[in-house]
Amino acid sequence: MRKHKRRFEDYEEIALCLRNAKQLLYRTEVIFHRAPYADAMTTIYKKLDRIISKTEDEMFADYPDRANVNVFYGGDDYHLFLRAKHGYIYSSFGYSSLDLVDAFAILARDGAVLLSDDAKVTFEEDAMLSKIVKNMIWRKEEMECNKKQ
């Protein structure tokens, strides 16, 4: 038996950490698909699920009036956002995805890419934006050809 009851905010933080771990593990499984050690990742995933289940039970016992499944599984105000940076992963929940945006890129219909002043675009991102714009123009032209037929 625990001596001290956790704060509800502690459960939210625990849930965020566990959900991050599951997301990162899932991403790892996708990248290392069919690796000889993939079964070890599945074992870790199952253990995380058991930890989540036990912690969720504890939260419901401590806070039956505030607890809900969304804390550990997402939904309502508990949407998980992950942003990978060069040296870290930034994650948060309970916020609009726009709160996590550092800069904006607007892809115009004429093929122009408009960036806000604080945009810092890498060469890879610039190439990706150019590819997206080309695809948009190609689809627009394809739709116009289909309308004429």
Side-chain angles (χ1 to χ4, degrees):
M1 191 81 186
R2 289 177 292 130
K3 289 184 178 183
H4 303 285
K5 181 171 135 177
R6 294 184 216 289
R7 298 176 308 133
F8 188 75
E9 292 75 21
D10 293 338
Y11 286 111
E12 291 178 319
E13 187 173 348
I14 291 167
L16 176 64
C17 293
L18 291 171
R19 288 176 64 203
N20 277 333
K22 283 185 71 169
Q23 286 277 359
L24 294 172
L25 184 62
Y26 174 76
R27 180 72 186 133
T28 304
E29 283 181 316
V30 169
I31 294 170
F32 293 108
H33 182 65
R34 296 184 188 188
Y37 47 84
D39 58 333
M41 287 191 221
T42 304
T43 301
I44 295 168
Y45 211 81
K46 288 178 181 178
K47 286 184 180 187
L48 282 172
D49 281 337
R50 282 195 297 268
I51 292 168
I52 287 171
S53 180
K54 289 179 181 181
T55 311
E56 184 184 27
D57 290 345
E58 186 180 292
M59 177 187 66
F60 271 93
D62 286 351
Y63 297 95
D65 54 326
R66 290 182 69 187
N68 65 74
V69 295
N70 295 331
V71 174
F72 282 92
Y73 300 102
D76 288 344
D77 292 333
Y78 296 101
H79 301 289
L80 179 63
F81 302 103
L82 292 177
R83 280 194 315 174
K85 291 291 186 182
H86 293 286
Y88 65 95
I89 300 255
Y90 175 83
S91 63
S92 67
F93 64 75
Y95 301 100
S96 161
S97 60
L98 292 179
D99 292 340
L100 304 177
V101 172
D102 294 323
F104 290 95
I106 299 171
L107 308 179
R109 288 183 185 185
D110 63 354
V113 177
L114 309 172
L115 299 172
S116 62
D117 291 337
D118 53 350
K120 296 176 184 171
V121 180
T122 66
F123 290 113
E124 293 85 9
E125 292 166 336
D126 183 54
M128 189 180 299
L129 287 169
S130 296
K131 184 178 177 182
I132 291 170
V133 169
K134 287 177 186 174
N135 285 340
M136 288 172 51
I137 291 171
W138 177 79
R139 272 188 271 157
K140 180 181 174 186
E141 290 171 355
E142 187 179 67
M143 286 175 36
E144 288 173 359
C145 286
N146 289 339
K147 285 181 184 177
K148 290 178 183 177
Q149 291 176 352

